[in-house]
Amino acid sequence: MSVKYVLAIHAGCEGITREYYGPEAVEEHLAFLRKSLAAGRAVLDGGGRGVDAVCATVEVLEDCPLFNAGRGSVFTHDGTIEMDASVMSGEDLSAGAVAGVTGIKNPVRAAALVLEKSPHVLLIGAGADSFAQSWGLEEMGPEYFQTARRREEYLAAQKQAGEQFGTVGAVCIDSAGNLTTASSTGGITCKEYGRVGDSPVIGAGVYADNASCAVSCTGEGEFFLRRAAATRIAALVEFGGLSLEAAASTVLENIRALGGKGGLIGVDAAGRVAFSFTTRGMFRGLARQGEPDRVAMFGPPGIWQ
Ligand code: ASP
């Protein structure tokens, strides 16, 4: 039986206000969201698998210097770039992730290789970089990742406390009815050398299970880790009888109660989607088979059915 595919994306949720983004910047960011959806659609229209669709989608956002993943990743406290990414398939709970990679152009591809080619789930640091290199993934030097804008933010963040974060991600139900998720991030500006957030941690920043839903989170990773956010949403759907939207709101409120904020996207086995956030906006987009793309960045949150 063929299912109508659904693909949802996010590209971070921090500092998205109308005061900060003028009309031109809004259009520029939304154009990249549309480009990302188009890449995922190209895979899904050809009958491709969700894993390939979410990777193609996230790859466009990693290549875009505007978002905090791949090119355009934020700087660590030491002025270096350390990226995290993950992919999970709800069909068989296979998963792959990398943390602290420094020279791979598309960390989400490295995560997919861990899923497909290795017996492991999570590779870190130099080992993850060299694993990706051994499979021929494209490498880039530090100057590719370190954009002028991120350097300015880094220098400002060194002087005053405050954080800058962002992640890109995608969730999908493909025409075989399988749920998939992916995330990719540079983490949080001025993070400690070696810090890993929620995005490459299966169950925290991402989770996908055909029995419930696929989720990709963005926000203050430490809180999503402490709440095991993505798997908690899946459990509330599977065992708690909550709708995906109610489960997403519950977990974001749990995180707020701890003092954290963020957002997430999800899709369930019936193709219902959730776009939830406790910040003022979230870069987001939705592609449903046979319907026009929808993209947005400011609040309020909500579901586009
Ligand atoms: N969750 C990411 C991290 O903590 C950052 C973000 O999504 O904004 O690394």
Side-chain angles (χ1 to χ4, degrees):
M1 192 190 69
S2 178
V3 173
K4 278 198 172 181
Y5 71 69
V6 182
L7 173 70
I9 59 170
H10 72 79
C13 69
E14 208 250 346
I16 304 174
T17 62
R18 290 181 197 278
E19 298 81 62
Y20 186 78
Y21 291 94
E24 259 178 47
V26 167
E27 208 24 67
E28 192 183 8
H29 285 74
L30 296 184
F32 272 106
L33 298 180
R34 288 190 199 96
K35 189 174 171 194
S36 160
L37 288 173
R41 270 197 195 274
V43 174
L44 294 165
D45 282 334
R49 298 177 313 148
V51 169
D52 298 319
V54 291
C55 284
T57 306
V58 165
E59 198 171 38
V60 169
L61 299 171
E62 287 179 335
D63 290 346
C64 168
L66 300 176
F67 302 116
N68 176 18
R71 184 158 187 239
S73 286
V74 298
F75 286 56
T76 67
H77 189 265
D78 294 16
T80 56
I81 300 280
E82 293 183 0
M83 300 168 287
D84 306 330
S86 57
V87 179
M88 183 170 190
S89 164
E91 182 183 6
D92 56 1
L93 306 189
S94 56
V98 292
V101 293
T102 58
I104 298 300
K105 180 168 176 268
N106 293 109
V108 73
R109 292 283 174 198
L113 278 171
V114 175
L115 183 157
E116 275 159 9
K117 307 287 186 196
S118 96
H120 308 303
V121 169
L122 174 59
L123 297 183
I124 63 164
D129 273 299
S130 95
F131 171 80
Q133 286 155 10
S134 74
W135 284 97
L137 283 195
E138 195 172 348
E139 294 169 61
M140 289 290 180
E143 63 292 341
Y144 169 80
F145 299 103
Q146 299 178 355
T147 60
R149 174 180 154 215
R150 296 298 185 204
R151 185 174 295 282
E152 274 167 34
E153 288 171 358
Y154 160 65
L155 294 173
Q158 281 181 318
K159 289 193 201 112
Q160 70 197 52
E163 40 183 30
Q164 222 113 35
F165 49 92
T167 289
V168 307
V171 293
C172 169
I173 181 164
D174 64 20
S175 42
N178 290 315
L179 297 173
T180 320
T181 182
S183 275
S184 182
T185 188
I188 290 183
T189 304
C190 262
K191 66 185 181 182
E192 290 293 333
Y193 164 60
R195 177 264 188 191
V196 176
D198 60 319
S199 306
V201 177
I202 305 302
V206 289
Y207 201 67
D209 184 347
N210 280 7
S212 52
C213 55
V215 174
S216 173
C217 302
T218 176
E220 295 173 297
E222 281 69 13
F223 294 95
F224 285 76
L225 280 163
R226 289 165 58 197
R227 262 299 170 199
T231 192
R232 188 172 171 86
I233 292 168
L236 286 171
V237 170
E238 186 176 356
F239 306 117
L242 267 64
S243 70
L244 173 59
E245 190 193 19
S249 303
T250 300
V251 172
L252 287 178
E253 284 309 318
N254 294 161
I255 285 170
R256 198 205 296 267
L258 291 177
K261 61 179 183 293
L264 60 94
I265 54 172
V267 60
D268 70 13
R272 286 180 291 253
V273 292
F275 293 90
S276 306
F277 46 94
T278 51
T279 49
R280 289 175 66 187
M282 179 168 77
F283 294 113
R284 57 203 189 278
L286 176 66
R288 280 187 184 282
Q289 189 168 9
E291 294 179 26
D293 290 347
R294 304 182 65 170
V295 290
M297 56 189 277
F298 300 118
I303 297 184
W304 291 322
Q305 290 296 357

